[in-house]
Amino acid sequence: MIFLRDRRTAGFIEFGLIVTCVVLFVATGLLYVSQARQQALLTATVRSSGWVAYQGQLEFVKAEAAFSKVTPAPTAQGLGNLLLRMEILRSRLPLLYDSDEGRVLSDVVDTKGLTQPLETLLDQVIAEIETLDPDDGATTRRLEALHGRLLPLGEALQRILMESVAYNQEIFRRERAVAEAPEVVSLVLLFITGGCLVLLLLLQGRRDRVRLREIVDAKAAITAMEENLRAVIQAVPACVAVVDPDTGHATFINSNAAALVAATPDDAAWPGFVRAVRDAAGEPVGGCWGTLTMAYTRSTGDIVSLRGSICSVLWQQRPQQLIVLADTTRVRSAELQVMQAAKLATLGEMATAIAHELNQPLAVIKMAVANARRLLDPLPGGEGVMAKLERISAQVDRAKRITDQVRRYGRMPSEQLQPFSLRHAVDLAVGFIAEQYRAANIRLTIDANVPIEALVLGEQTMFEQVIVNLLINARDAFDAGRAGLCARQVTLALYREGDQLVVSVEDNAGGVAEDMLPRLFEPFATTKPTENGTGLGLSLARSVVRDMNGSISVQNVGGGARFLVRLPLLPSAEARDAA
Ligand code: ADP
């Protein structure tokens, strides 16, 4: 049914079928009424009109019989009987045109024209019969004459009867035709009406099926959309909850919200959380809430910073409130760490300045000690004082070394990259850290398989900071409590791999925590308490090494971590040019 594809056409066809059904229904009804009427009329006509004609004729025959009987031998009784017949006949004649049946008969034959003129004749005959005497010899002759005068009446009645019979036959024929015709016509009409109705039902059924399919498809689409929405909400890196605006009961929570508050919406923690969020959001202005910021204490006791908003949504066909909150704890702590880093930077500047200022008195002490030794040298018994002066001189040297390293560490890096000896830089960094390692009881092994002439291009001070940072991190790792019971050991190895120089710093302090590995070089990634760690060391190390066209990587090996710094070896010709 191609036309069904076009809804407008189908609508027109439906309308047409409905109109056809109504028209046919009315037509069938009218046909039925008219046929019923016609049949009733015909039946009445057939019965009555034929009957009236027949009655007239019958009475005439009876009158003739009475004539025949009384004429040969007239008697008073015979004449009386004849008179009675004649009067009955006389009374029947008006019925032929002046009764209901007679009027119907008049449509077929002019009964009035035929019989009315003869009524006068009949009256005269009746009047004359009344005057007849049975004993009179002329009565027979007179009766014969009167009988003869009635012949035209007999012919007229005969004609009326014949016409009536013919008419009745015609009526019978038409009645049969009418009786047969309606069946066919009604049947056809009924069939068409039924057909139209069936078509209508088919159309409706088809349309209902299409609508049903559309509804089912629409429902499936809505379900799929809702599923997608749920998946998106689940994937959103924020806490999302849908709550009832009246009861505050959570109807949906995503995994982040479950992790933050409680695994199921029915948990007792949820009402308190929703209340806290609403309190933080305040009253809506024009149905909208602004951005909210709040601190929430989790069941574990941790305090998290949250930032987000509430909005009204339609969720599963019901008006609900959507709470979306992002955990800003790390951002907050990063902010704190940046502040801490700024403080450290200031402290570093101060340390550099102090180291610089200490250089002067140290130089004076050193010179004074040297003078004192020179003055004491020729004097006898001054060995004990000399030894003390030597110790003072050695400690001054050590203090000088420390201030030098502090100054070097704090010196601002130059803009331009310079070739420098990798091994020399590593030695300086180790010197800076050696004292701390001794204090922490860590054995530092240097395995330098690179000549002192091997150069790399970069900013030496910054690179030293990279090595210092790796060594300090290794030291701190021992304090983190992940190390085993074996002796604390850090191995610093230098070796060449093709046209690259590699610095390897390996410890046995337990390795980097697995969750830290993928983001170890990101800024502010730290496992240390805020007062100790900034999480900037490795991030700075990576940017310094990158500036030197190198790379830095980490892996857990054995019982600890191994950091590898790879740097391109500067060919000697290039080194000369750069110098
Ligand atoms: P900070 O030292 O301030 O934390 P870093 O960027 O230098 O910042 O280090 C980041 C994190 O890397 C440390 O907090 C620590 O968890 C981890 N880490 C670095 N070196 C090691 C190491 N040798 N062993 C184990 N963990 C380490």
Side-chain angles (χ1 to χ4, degrees), residues 299-317:
S299 54
T300 53
D302 300 344
I303 298 175
V304 287
S305 303
L306 299 170
R307 186 181 160 83
S309 60
I310 306 183
C311 62
S312 300
V313 290
L314 204 64
W315 183 266
Q316 291 175 336
Q317 284 89 54

Side-chain angles (χ1 to χ4, degrees), residues 469 473-474 477 507 511-512 516 520 525-528 533-535 537-538 563:
N469 189 62
N473 277 347
D507 60 60
V512 180
M516 282 292 287
L520 200 68
T526 181
T527 54
K528 298 174 190 171
T534 59
L538 289 178
F563 285 85

Side-chain angles (χ1 to χ4, degrees), residues 337 469-478 480 482 505-507 509-513 516 519-529 532-541 554 556 560-563:
Q337 285 173 347
N469 189 62
L470 292 180
L471 292 171
I472 288 178
N473 277 347
R475 183 204 64 187
D476 293 345
F478 286 110
R482 288 166 60 84
V505 180
E506 185 176 331
D507 60 60
V512 180
M516 282 292 287
R519 53 191 183 92
L520 200 68
F521 295 99
E522 288 175 12
F524 307 115
T526 181
T527 54
K528 298 174 190 171
N532 293 346
T534 59
L536 292 171
L538 289 178
S539 147
L540 282 173
V554 63
N556 282 332
R562 180 194 289 155
F563 285 85

Side-chain angles (χ1 to χ4, degrees), residues 273 276-277 280 292-298 302-307:
F273 176 75
V277 173
L292 68 95
T293 311
M294 63 180 278
Y296 175 65
T297 312
R298 298 177 61 188
D302 300 344
I303 298 175
V304 287
S305 303
L306 299 170
R307 186 181 160 83

